[in-house]
Amino acid sequence: MTTLEDPATEVDAVGVHERRRVIGTSQLRKEDDRLLRGDGRFTDDVDPARVLYMAVARCPYPHARIVRVDASAAAALDGVEHVLTPADIRRDTEPLTVLRPVPGAPQLPYYALAQDVATHEGQPVVSVVASSRHVAEDALELLDISYEPLPHVVDVLAALEPDAPVLHPSVLDSNLLAANSDGSGDPDARFAEADVVVEGRFRINRVTALPMETRGVVAEWRPGARELTVHCSSQVPHLIRKQLAETLRLHESDVRAVASDVGGGFGLKLGVFPEDVLACLHAIALRRPVKWSEDRAEHFRGSTHARESVHDYRIAADSTGRILAMTNVYATDIGGWNSPFGSAQLSSVVFNGPYKISDGYTERRVTLTNKTPVGAYRGYGQPEVNFAYERLMDQLARRLELDPVELRARNMVTPRDMPWKNPVGAVYDSGDYERCLRMAADAVDWAGHRAAGRTPRPDGRLVGIGFASFVERTGYASSRFLAKRGSVFGAHESVTLRANRSGGIDVYTGVSTMGQSSETAFAQVVADVVGTDYDAVRVHAGDTGASPLNTGAFASRTMIAAAGALRSAAEQLAAKTRRIAAWQLEAPVDEMEVAGSVVRVRADHSRALPLAAVYTTAITGQGMPPEEEPGLEATAHFEPPDAAYSFGTAAAQVAVDPLTGEFDIERFVLVHDGGTVVNPTIVEGQVRGGLAQGFGAALTEELRYDPETGQLVNGSMVDYFVPTAADLPHVELLHTAVPSPVTPFGVRGVGEAGTIPPGAAVANAVCDALADHGVELSALPITPEAIWSALAGRSSGGGDPELTPTTTDLPDGGVEY
């Protein structure tokens, strides 16, 4: 792994002191000790006294009218304490709110239990609380629910047809929830004058994030204190608090959300789900704690899905390979409802990838189908569109008989161009895209592969190499960006730092710990800025009752936003520490420094005070300088001025059997830039974790619905093929480190990059190997069956009409990305 040169030492102006830096070093993870010992506190580990257990009855049909609900027999079962029906929910709650609305979309009245009509298999209809989960599940069998099945549609393009059954006829006259367009220049003119146009329809598969810990909630109501405490497996506890208060008709001060340890989120655990509301209602009614833990069958049907979309993409170029224009009109499947984070928008934001164009257009059509709602998932639109434009880049190279590496390099945004604004307004802050491309090509010996030709190996297999270059938006471009989209959360992050009598610093943050190592990275920043020992910093995460208001952990934004707040608070705390020590030592403040466990005079280390003593002075207020107030803590907020764009290139080498379509990934190289690296080991782990999910979506995972019955046919771990460690190819990681000018310390987000390029890189490698056979892959996942069908000339697509740009004005995705 290539990282920054070691920034470990810093020499002061007089050269008498070297201070060991913490940022840029691989400190041991603070989370690991408790997690490896099995001492983590996940939602299912919360087991309060007198707890009751919830089970949920779900609609078995993709689309059905709820004719009658009789819960009397279930309520009479011994051990059953409470039952909620659709009528109870309509009376006692508001519809679930949307955190990031789709511009131009009407509000859909999404309640915690289906009202009148259920729009997907697995939608909650009745909830039961009993003395045990077993009794609650038995009670579900006693429910008498009558359904009237309605016509359904589970294909995203079929759902847009005029004769498709409309899911929400009281709000919409079709299944198009909304359409948004963005772009600039005159793409039509550029296509008219182009020497070559390549285009294609690219189908992206439906997948799920599949965190190790499924969703769960423990709700406890204290009527005397009028406090609802909700332990939840969530990435956004402060937003959970907000949504629960709104839905339950409570004041926000009545609700405390706690997300201690979260066993993976990946975007799936953003916002309130129906079961969260149900558990709270039961707890309030019974005045006893209520617990629900999602089983895996429920997870496949009740937790949000992701990715599914169809992209009609076009690229215009001149005869030298210079790209003139790019357009993408795509339909994204949102399922039966608009979930809290809804349809992915980043397919529009980075639709052109790393390529410099002035003329471009993108249009998103958010489409309702009778399937589980879609939400955020690692990458959130970026893997989907990357597959489309990178497949076409290779097709363009073949049409023009150009080297695909040189074609990419010729069209990339260069360091001299930056900051550069793409046709939809996204500002690429800095980077060297071509360097990553060249490093990847050299790593797989692209020149040697080109020279060798496509001679079969003795076993008949053909070797191919494919590339996928990308940019990744990390973080948000300030609250301006969010406000123009109606988002109800901010772009900033907030932290509180508090010194303690032991000489340590406690950090309080609303960011949940979910595997992204935020405890470790936060502690490194604080230790580095203050000058104290890394082990002296303790991070307390995920409790809205102890942390300042914040946004949460998603969109690769945590470190970008939190680093600024951490730096500001740490500087305030360190400055006051130096002032107190200077007064006690009778030394100038500007000659003081914090070094490990002491604060000392920089030029005379014998004149020093233990940090524990200085902190105790501040906490007690005894022995303070006259002008200083007691206490030693700081709360800071930071909003980045713009988003930071990570970037990179992946190269895959495959060996394909041209008779059967079977293939092996023999090498996979990813060159990635995440800006300044806070902890190299964490960055490596984040990128490798993203790649694992990227390979799953590219090669093996797909949630399939039967078009005749509307049923999910592979909703279990038996036949949803998530890859294991043994299934993943060996990955070689290389990193560059171009600091971002728009973030503290120059960091960029790294959590999602690995999900973006695997599909395109592997597909391009397969098509390179089979170029003489004319194979062009246009759908995910990439399977031997799909390759065999392409070799046999069997189309994977239907006769659906082309998605052409809308001629009338549409709401745009918002100004300023």
Side-chain angles (χ1 to χ4, degrees), residues 31 83 240 387 477 641 672 674 719 807:
E31 301 89 339
V83 178
I240 290 286
F387 182 74
H672 171 255
D719 41 21
T807 55

Side-chain angles (χ1 to χ4, degrees), residues 64-252:
R65 189 179 312 281
I66 302 168
V67 177
R68 182 170 62 92
V69 175
D70 183 353
S72 56
L77 181 67
D78 187 37
V80 170
E81 299 288 343
H82 199 231
V83 178
L84 287 172
T85 66
D88 300 322
I89 297 302
R90 182 180 286 274
R91 181 188 67 240
D92 296 335
T93 70
E94 300 298 322
L96 277 66
T97 55
V98 176
L99 294 169
R100 199 190 61 78
V102 176
Q107 183 176 351
L108 302 178
Y110 185 25
Y111 285 88
L113 293 177
Q115 303 290 315
D116 302 325
V117 174
T119 59
H120 67 91
E121 177 199 5
Q123 186 172 351
V125 177
V126 175
S127 63
V128 176
V129 163
S131 56
S132 72
R133 179 69 179 257
H134 300 290
V135 173
E137 294 283 355
D138 289 343
L140 299 185
E141 299 296 323
L142 300 177
L143 293 169
D144 184 5
I145 307 175
S146 297
Y147 296 97
E148 176 192 339
L150 299 172
H152 64 268
V153 59
V154 294
D155 179 80
V156 64
L157 295 183
L160 293 172
E161 292 295 320
D163 59 349
V166 178
L167 273 66
H168 299 281
S170 63
V171 180
L172 297 163
D173 57 10
S174 74
N175 293 317
L176 181 65
L177 179 65
N180 310 127
S181 63
D182 286 288
S184 62
D186 190 349
D188 290 342
R190 300 293 84 74
F191 275 94
E193 67 191 32
D195 295 315
V196 61
V197 172
V198 290
E199 57 190 332
R201 168 162 290 176
F202 300 93
R203 293 179 177 268
I204 310 300
N205 46 330
R206 174 174 282 244
V207 297
T208 182
L210 209 72
M212 186 176 294
E213 179 198 26
T214 54
R215 292 185 296 116
V217 59
V218 179
E220 185 171 4
W221 173 251
R222 295 176 58 209
R226 191 171 175 79
E227 181 182 71
L228 177 67
T229 299
V230 181
H231 292 267
C232 52
S233 182
S234 175
Q235 300 170 233
V236 287
H238 278 283
L239 296 181
I240 290 286
R241 180 190 188 216
K242 169 196 177 298
Q243 285 188 285
L244 285 176
E246 293 168 342
T247 302
L248 297 170
R249 302 170 183 163
L250 296 171
H251 292 296
E252 219 173 304

Side-chain angles (χ1 to χ4, degrees), residues 675-801:
T676 300
V677 175
V678 174
N679 184 308
T681 300
I682 289 174
V683 168
E684 180 130 354
Q686 284 286 291
V687 175
R688 288 186 181 277
L691 283 168
Q693 291 183 305
F695 283 122
L699 304 176
T700 62
E701 298 180 42
E702 183 174 24
L703 290 165
R704 292 196 172 191
Y705 282 79
D706 186 315
E708 298 299 321
T709 66
Q711 301 289 314
L712 178 64
V713 298
N714 62 334
S716 76
M717 297 298 289
V718 173
D719 41 21
Y720 182 77
F721 301 128
V722 60
T724 68
D727 300 316
L728 296 172
H730 174 69
V731 172
E732 303 164 55
L733 288 185
L734 301 172
H735 293 261
T736 64
V738 178
S740 171
V742 301
T743 65
F745 308 106
V747 299
R748 306 179 198 270
V750 299
E752 300 173 277
T755 65
I756 299 173
V762 173
N764 283 338
V766 169
C767 294
D768 176 58
L770 301 175
D772 293 340
H773 297 263
V775 168
E776 297 290 0
L777 300 176
S778 59
L780 294 176
I782 305 160
T783 63
E785 179 186 7
I787 297 171
W788 181 84
S789 295
L791 284 163
R794 299 178 180 179
S795 172
S796 60
D800 299 307

Side-chain angles (χ1 to χ4, degrees), residues 34 81 502:
R34 68 175 185 276
E81 299 288 343
S502 301

